[in-house]
């Protein structure tokens, strides 16, 4: 079977070429082409034709198809639905800020975590993405839009720490100076709270920003909306976050979705401040984005403001996240692996 060449690090590619009897510098040439968005070995004009043919026999180059592209009329945010080589689909969102371009990537097709407010988990987990399929979301969004991505957030479909090895390999390749060369300080990774994996990540001492989806400071209400809390309860999770900070020196950021009557009580703000007390933390308040299947509603503006004030009065810094791309369902928790109309062509299923 042909190997997925874009999932290889430069070092691994070097080993493969050595085994083929090729000189070392070829690996670097091929790596550069791949991370510049080449779709075929044919395009690699500084390689001898015979080598290009040989490479074609040994490797595949993944090329996702744009199954749908939507551009927000409000803020220019672009949402892509990619069709992968096996017909499955994932979404990514390209956002423009004054300091550059950020992309929100998916790490899995679907998600096994079952959070009650999130569209990405409807239908469960189908499969995990290969490193190449995460990279492709950047390479092909850049190719299509003509923009250059400077920040990467792993906050799309899937639980990145549930696809640990592939995500770390993706980050290593992304970070490589001969490849896309995006530094770890420009990467954020979001998790619903898989404690053993948070501790494993801490050991790697990467300079990325870890975001933890907390959404509630008490076990009763957190377990009601996030099944993962039954395995790793709030205090165990926060303890792992403290260890993460101690081991990496990187401040953990917390995402807190404001859900009417579920997570926005004033007592919860006080408990959250108490639990985060003394911790180098930042809280991002996210008013719930609409997902029609969930039956949950966003908190009122007043409730969000009150919650933020209580946190700040207790010395916890909190910001309210600006919503981008709301007219195209491109906000947190609204990404899906499917949409209406694609079904006939491949495996993509109907969304709501
Ligand atoms: N599985 C990871 C990565 C997904 S990131 C994680 O849970 O962190 C997506 C972020 O959006 C998470 O913080 C998630 O909890 C949040 N989210 C999900 N559904 C949402 C919704 N309907 N409104 C606002 N935020 C939502």
């Amino acid at each position: 079977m042909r190997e997925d060449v874009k999932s290889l690090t430069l070092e691994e590619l070097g080993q493969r070429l050595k085994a083929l009897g090729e000189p070392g510098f070829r690996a670097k040439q091929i790596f550069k082409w791949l991370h510049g968005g080449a779709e075929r070995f044919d395009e690699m004009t500084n390689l001898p034709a015979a080598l290009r043919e040989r490479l074609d026999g040994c490797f595949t180059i993944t090329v996702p198809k744009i199954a749908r592209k939507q551009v927000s009329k409000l803020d220019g945010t672009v949402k892509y639905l990619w069709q992968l080589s096996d017909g499955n689909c994932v979404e990514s969102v390209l956002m423009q800020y004054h300091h550059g371009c950020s992309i929100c990537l998916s790490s899995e097709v679907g998600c096994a975590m079952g959070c009650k407010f999130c569209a990405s988990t409807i239908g469960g987990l189908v499969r995990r993405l290969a490193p190449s399929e995460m990279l492709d979301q950047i390479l092909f969004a850049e190719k299509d839009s003509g923009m250059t991505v400077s920040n990467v957030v792993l906050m799309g479909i899937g639980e990145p720490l549930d696809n640990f090895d592939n995500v770390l390999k993706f980050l290593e390749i992304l970070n490589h100076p001969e490849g896309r060369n995006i530094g770890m300080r420009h990467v954020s990774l979001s998790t619903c709270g898989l404690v053993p994996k948070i501790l494993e990540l801490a050991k790697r001492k990467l300079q990325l920003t870890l975001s933890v989806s907390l959404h509630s400071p008490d076990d009763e209400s957190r377990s009601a909306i996030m099944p993962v809390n039954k395995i790793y309860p709030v205090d165990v999770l926060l303890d792992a976050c403290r260890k993460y900070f101690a081991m990496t020196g990187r401040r953990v950021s917390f995402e807190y979705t404001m859900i009417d009557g579920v997570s926005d009580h004033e007592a919860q703000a006080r408990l959250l401040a108490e639990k985060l007390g003394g911790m180098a933390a930042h809280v991002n308040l996210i008013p719930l984005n609409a997902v029609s299947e969930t039956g949950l509603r966003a908190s009122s503006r007043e409730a969000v403001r009150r919650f933020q004030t209580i946190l700040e009065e207790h010395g916890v810094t909190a910001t309210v996240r600006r919503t981008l791309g709301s007219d195209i369902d491109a906000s947190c928790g609204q990404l899906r692996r499917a949409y209406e109309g694609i079904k006939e062509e491949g495996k993509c299923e109907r969304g709501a």
Side-chain angles (χ1 to χ4, degrees):
M1 213 173 87
R2 294 191 297 163
E3 200 173 11
D4 166 15
V5 70
K6 244 183 287 175
S7 287
L8 299 177
T9 62
L10 179 57
E11 291 65 32
E12 288 171 336
L13 186 57
Q15 289 158 9
R16 304 294 189 277
L17 281 150
K18 205 170 159 197
L20 292 173
E22 291 294 329
F25 66 90
R26 292 286 182 220
K28 215 184 252 185
Q29 289 178 319
I30 298 167
F31 197 77
K32 275 195 174 158
W33 278 109
L34 291 171
H35 300 287
E39 299 182 18
R40 296 182 322 274
F41 289 109
D42 263 1
E43 294 172 36
M44 305 183 183
T45 46
N46 54 356
L47 305 182
L51 175 59
R52 285 186 253 155
E53 208 165 299
R54 248 181 120 193
L55 292 171
D56 206 33
C58 301
F59 301 107
T60 55
I61 302 179
T62 48
V63 179
K65 273 192 239 145
I66 298 177
R68 182 170 70 169
K69 175 182 173 183
Q70 290 167 280
V71 182
S72 165
K73 291 191 181 68
L74 304 173
D75 50 47
T77 296
V78 186
K79 183 167 80 164
Y80 291 99
L81 180 75
W82 306 105
Q83 186 163 19
L84 309 172
S85 47
D86 66 351
N88 277 307
C89 288
V90 291
E91 291 189 313
S92 18
V93 180
L94 191 61
M95 295 159 283
Q96 297 162 58
Y97 295 98
H98 53 271
H99 57 266
C101 218
S102 290
I103 193 161
C104 176
L105 300 185
S106 294
S107 56
E108 297 181 317
V109 178
C111 183
M113 299 299 130
C115 299
K116 297 283 183 282
F117 44 83
C118 183
S120 301
T121 200
I122 296 168
L125 175 70
V126 179
R127 70 169 175 86
R128 299 179 172 92
L129 295 189
S132 58
E133 293 172 317
M134 290 179 253
L135 273 165
D136 283 343
Q137 295 172 57
I138 303 173
L139 302 179
F140 290 91
E142 287 186 326
K143 213 169 172 180
D144 176 72
S145 66
M147 293 193 255
T148 303
V149 168
S150 47
N151 290 286
V152 172
V153 298
L154 277 159
M155 293 192 185
I157 302 170
E159 168 50 49
L161 296 186
D162 176 54
N163 189 13
F164 194 85
D165 292 343
N166 285 350
V167 164
L168 283 186
K169 197 165 182 199
F170 154 69
L171 292 176
E172 184 186 340
I173 299 171
L174 178 73
N175 200 211
H176 202 288
E178 300 292 341
R180 244 338 251 97
N181 196 16
I182 295 182
M184 286 292 177
R185 283 180 185 272
H186 298 276
V187 174
S188 294
L189 183 153
S190 183
T191 177
C192 65
L194 299 181
V195 166
K197 301 291 183 189
I198 292 176
L199 298 175
E200 182 64 37
L201 185 67
K203 284 191 206 148
R204 312 290 174 106
K205 299 196 192 307
L206 302 178
Q207 293 295 298
L208 55 74
T209 301
L210 178 69
S211 290
V212 171
S213 297
L214 194 58
H215 308 323
S216 173
D218 62 275
D219 285 323
E220 196 186 336
S221 63
R222 192 166 191 266
S223 292
I225 52 174
M226 299 181 73
V228 69
N229 194 69
K230 293 175 193 150
I231 305 169
Y232 307 113
V234 175
D235 290 346
V236 174
L237 173 58
L238 294 179
D239 193 43
C241 294
R242 284 190 191 90
K243 288 196 181 112
Y244 186 89
F245 177 67
M247 288 165 77
T248 63
R250 304 282 299 165
R251 190 172 77 151
V252 176
S253 138
F254 292 95
E255 288 151 290
Y256 194 102
T257 304
M258 298 292 297
I259 310 175
D260 183 39
V262 176
S263 64
D264 61 355
H265 300 290
E266 293 186 16
Q268 286 170 312
R270 286 190 291 272
L271 183 61
L272 179 62
E274 189 185 305
K275 292 201 169 184
L276 296 183
M279 200 169 163
H282 176 90
V283 177
N284 241 312
L285 299 173
I286 316 167
L288 182 81
N289 295 309
V291 174
S292 54
E293 294 91 330
T294 67
L296 297 167
R297 275 198 327 247
S299 307
S300 66
R301 259 176 208 228
E302 296 67 51
V304 176
R305 211 169 300 134
R306 214 159 44 233
F307 205 92
Q308 183 183 20
T309 307
I310 295 172
L311 289 178
E312 290 189 331
E313 279 170 0
H314 289 77
V316 175
T317 55
T319 45
V320 180
R321 186 175 285 175
R322 191 159 66 99
T323 297
L324 290 177
S326 54
D327 57 330
I328 53 169
D329 280 0
S331 304
C332 300
Q334 293 183 312
L335 304 191
R336 297 167 186 264
R337 63 183 173 82
Y339 93 97
E340 197 167 11
I342 279 284
K343 200 173 177 185
E344 319 75 77
E345 291 172 31
K347 279 194 198 158
C348 298
E349 290 163 13
R350 187 186 180 282

